[in-house]
Amino acid sequence: MDNVRVRFAPSPTGYLHIGGLRTALYNYLFARQNKGNFILRIEDTDQTRFVEGAIENLINSLLWAGISYDEGVFIENGKIVEKGEFGPYIQSKRLDIYQKYVDELIEKGHAYYCFCTKERLDKVREEQKISGQIPRYDGFCRNIPLEEAKERIKKGEEYVVRLKLPLNRDINFYDMVRGHITINTSDMDDQVLLKSDGFPTYHLAVVVDDHLMGITHIVRGEEWLPSTPKHIYLYEAFGWEKPTYVHLPTVLNKDRKKLSKRQGDVSVEDFRNKGYLPEALVNYLALVGWSPEDNQEIMSLEEMVEKFSFERVSKTGGIFDIDKLNWINSHYIRTSSTERIRELAIPYLINENLIDEKFAKENEYWLDCLVDTLKENLNTIAEIPQKSMFIFAEQIDIDKDLFDQHLNNDNTPILMNAIIEEIQNIDNFNIDEAKTFMKKIQQKTGIKGKNLFMPTRVALTGSEHGPELVNILFLLGKDKIINRARNVLKIYSGII
Ligand code: GLU
């Protein structure tokens, strides 16, 4: 395809919804597949929703997820900058542009000034509701002569500008996911295009910008589908070529409702903080509403670029399935380098006061060993502190049944005393010492095999399962091994 230009156009609401990340991702995949351009535009015309730091948050979330773009709004050296020939890319900087196009529509008779007060509009809406009609603007100001309207504005009357839809006309368009769509203007509203504060509404700004920025494909969430006929009419009113539309199914929760912030985590940042890897979240989101022809599930961005197609985007909403996300995340954790997981784990361990920065710097090998023992069985990085408590805890609980099964026998005092004595003779209990330690205990006590390893494991970890005993010994270190062995002796002799 020639010169594909697509855009992601979020409003800076303060966070990037994972549904938004998926929209950005599909735009990205389509742009890269077609060697086109991907643009980030900020749609901040609703000044009542202004949130400090929201643009930075959006960009950082995209960067974290690995979704790169070519044009638009970026952060450089901590500052918001814009790059590309079609700027500004932040809508609040384009007010004069919108004004010019609103004036053009008014002159051509496709828009009109409306002086209706909020009170009047509320009253009309109320009456329409009571008589069972769909509430919409009743066209009160549609036919005010332009000169008269301009006079009223000069006198200081407040106004908005509305789209003047033709009466009873079918608006047709084609959506790559939804197919052909027809809506009659009698089912549409004379949409406000310019608000009384001089800011355009989304509907005007989006059409003007998509046209001026040369956007070829509009890929966005299906919540915008009902607005599209208005946009189509605007393209026609301006005499502009229409882009191709692709409306993506909504990301739903298990109750088939839109995934909303009220129910919990929906922002990219939330998932990052919960210990999801960016490639896992992106890989998972790609599959919410799309699947490749070969049904491959684990895919790198490059593979997705190759396989992606709008034809295979589903019409119905994709259900957000946390179990599947966990499965994909655990795959990426397992296949990541130990160093990477260690670096990601450190803030979580510090946060739980299990280690401090100094410890992290001085004990890389120890931390790698810890990560290696856990890596195979993690859903998220955030699970690391809790899953490593059996190492960090001063003392562990041993279930009574487990104790009876493995430690309530004559070998226990021999084994525990041998462990305590042997380890007390070792000054620096490093990994090499840990590797030969059980051999020494075997020689010292004559206890071997299952009778040696299982009771030791249960005594030291409180569990029959878990990582290699050598790793456990090394991770626990001398003091904890002695303490835990002494504790077992106490339980054995009925002291506790
Ligand atoms: N600013 C809109 C949003 O927040 C963008 C809609 C569109 O892509 O046209 O989702």
Side-chain angles (χ1 to χ4, degrees):
M1 222 174 284
D2 285 342
N3 295 328
V4 160
R5 287 177 61 80
V6 290
R7 78 328 185 249
F8 178 51
S11 298
T13 54
Y15 65 96
L16 177 57
H17 190 287
I18 50 165
L21 178 59
R22 194 201 50 179
T23 300
L25 172 66
Y26 286 7
N27 272 289
Y28 167 92
L29 296 176
F30 185 67
R32 294 290 170 263
Q33 186 175 65
N34 291 287
K35 314 243 172 312
N37 285 350
F38 180 29
I39 294 137
L40 176 69
R41 182 173 72 222
I42 300 295
E43 301 207 328
D44 61 344
T45 56
D46 188 351
Q47 291 291 295
T48 56
R49 291 171 70 195
F50 178 79
V51 177
E52 190 69 44
I55 298 179
E56 288 85 344
N57 182 299
L58 271 170
I59 294 176
N60 286 332
S61 292
L62 287 173
L63 280 180
W64 174 78
I67 309 291
S68 61
Y69 47 94
D70 313 296
E71 241 176 84
V73 187
F74 295 81
I75 298 180
E76 263 178 19
N77 304 321
K79 281 210 179 72
I80 293 174
V81 296
E82 296 182 49
K83 287 187 205 170
E85 294 164 29
F86 298 83
Y89 293 91
I90 299 178
Q91 287 187 329
S92 57
K93 293 187 182 173
R94 297 172 65 83
L95 299 187
D96 50 338
I97 301 176
Y98 306 126
Q99 186 63 55
K100 177 174 155 246
Y101 285 101
V102 163
D103 292 344
E104 182 183 326
L105 286 177
I106 289 175
E107 291 309 319
K108 283 184 175 168
H110 294 304
Y112 60 94
Y113 294 108
C114 169
F115 302 92
C116 292
T117 58
K118 188 178 172 299
E119 291 68 37
R120 178 173 186 277
L121 294 174
D122 288 346
K123 199 169 147 246
V124 170
R125 210 161 286 147
E126 223 19 69
E127 284 166 6
Q128 286 170 334
K129 266 194 215 153
I130 291 166
S131 63
Q133 289 168 272
I134 299 169
R136 73 163 69 102
Y137 184 60
D138 63 353
F140 190 71
C141 295
R142 250 177 97 100
N143 298 316
I144 298 175
L146 190 53
E147 287 314 311
E148 186 187 321
K150 283 184 176 167
E151 272 309 306
R152 288 172 70 171
I153 292 168
K154 238 189 240 154
K155 283 191 193 127
E157 240 184 281
E158 236 185 51
Y159 66 95
V160 299
V161 176
R162 286 184 185 272
L163 179 61
K164 191 170 193 172
L165 283 172
L167 300 174
N168 192 21
R169 214 189 91 185
D170 278 346
I171 307 274
N172 301 298
F173 66 98
Y174 177 75
D175 182 275
M176 280 180 86
V177 174
R178 300 308 186 104
H180 287 281
I181 295 176
T182 302
I183 293 197
N184 194 280
T185 52
S186 54
D187 293 324
M188 292 161 62
D189 215 349
D190 278 357
Q191 177 67 50
V192 173
L193 300 176
L194 195 74
K195 295 177 275 187
S196 54
D197 62 1
F199 274 75
T201 54
Y202 157 72
H203 305 283
L204 176 74
V206 79
V207 168
V208 168
D209 289 351
D210 285 336
H211 171 70
L212 295 181
M213 294 179 187
I215 302 302
T216 55
H217 296 73
I218 293 186
V219 184
R220 63 184 172 198
E222 67 182 344
E223 66 270 29
W224 300 107
L225 194 62
S227 302
T228 307
K230 293 171 202 166
H231 304 174
I232 296 286
Y233 182 71
L234 278 170
Y235 278 97
E236 287 174 10
F238 283 120
W240 292 339
E241 195 186 326
K242 278 166 252 168
T244 301
Y245 284 93
V246 187
H247 284 95
L248 307 173
T250 309
V251 180
L252 304 171
N253 63 23
K254 282 206 165 118
D255 307 331
R256 304 204 67 85
K257 298 224 174 67
K258 197 177 168 197
L259 209 61
S260 88
K261 199 152 180 83
R262 262 169 286 127
Q263 302 148 341
D265 298 324
V266 291
S267 78
V268 172
E269 230 183 331
D270 289 335
F271 285 90
R272 179 184 184 171
N273 292 338
K274 281 190 129 185
Y276 289 94
L277 301 183
E279 66 270 40
L281 186 60
V282 164
N283 188 158
Y284 172 67
L285 284 175
L287 298 172
V288 183
W290 169 76
S291 59
E293 215 171 333
D294 57 10
N295 280 318
Q296 188 177 333
E297 297 210 292
I298 300 288
M299 283 174 285
S300 65
L301 261 185
E302 293 71 37
E303 284 173 299
M304 286 186 240
V305 167
E306 211 175 284
K307 291 168 193 270
F308 187 72
S309 73
F310 289 129
E311 285 74 28
R312 294 190 57 84
V313 169
S314 81
K315 280 192 185 47
T316 51
I319 307 272
F320 188 81
D321 176 355
I322 194 82
D323 296 332
K324 187 155 178 185
L325 171 61
N326 284 341
W327 173 74
I328 291 181
N329 203 45
S330 71
H331 164 85
Y332 283 103
I333 292 176
R334 228 175 9 256
T335 51
S336 287
S337 73
T338 302
E339 294 71 43
R340 179 184 182 205
I341 304 303
R342 179 231 300 150
E343 287 309 306
L344 290 171
I346 287 170
Y348 293 91
L349 293 168
I350 292 180
N351 200 31
E352 294 293 327
N353 291 321
L354 296 173
I355 62 169
D356 57 20
E357 309 248 357
K358 185 166 174 286
F359 181 93
K361 271 200 203 92
E362 291 170 0
N363 295 280
E364 269 182 14
Y365 185 81
W366 186 92
L367 285 167
D368 282 351
C369 187
L370 177 72
V371 165
D372 271 337
T373 64
L374 304 174
K375 221 171 113 195
E376 296 298 310
N377 293 306
L378 290 173
N379 284 325
T380 67
I381 306 289
E383 288 177 356
I384 289 180
Q386 180 252 323
K387 290 214 164 160
S388 49
M389 276 324 283
F390 75 103
I391 297 294
F392 283 105
E394 268 321 307
Q395 206 47 269
I396 40 136
D397 288 331
I398 305 174
D399 178 79
K400 182 158 185 324
D401 288 346
L402 218 52
F403 193 94
D404 285 347
Q405 201 181 332
H406 298 287
L407 292 162
N408 210 355
N409 60 66
D410 297 345
N411 275 347
T412 295
I414 303 169
L415 194 53
M416 294 302 121
N417 282 319
I419 288 174
I420 295 166
E421 275 162 32
E422 192 61 39
I423 208 162
Q424 270 169 339
N425 292 331
I426 304 171
D427 286 337
N428 176 17
F429 190 71
N430 56 27
I431 187 71
D432 294 325
E433 291 290 353
K435 278 181 187 157
T436 54
F437 189 70
M438 291 314 288
K439 188 88 204 151
K440 287 184 191 160
I441 301 297
Q442 182 190 323
Q443 281 160 359
K444 204 171 165 131
T445 61
I447 303 169
K448 50 182 173 223
K450 247 192 128 206
N451 293 337
L452 174 68
F453 291 106
M454 200 45 108
T456 307
R457 174 182 290 281
V458 172
L460 296 181
T461 68
S463 168
E464 287 174 307
H465 314 285
E468 295 252 357
L469 196 52
V470 171
N471 287 348
I472 294 170
L473 291 169
F474 171 64
L475 289 170
L476 284 175
K478 194 165 158 174
D479 291 348
K480 280 193 186 128
I481 292 174
I482 294 173
N483 282 342
R484 292 185 188 191
R486 282 192 179 140
N487 196 48
V488 167
L489 286 173
K490 281 188 200 157
I491 301 172
Y492 177 80
S493 47
I495 296 173
I496 51 173

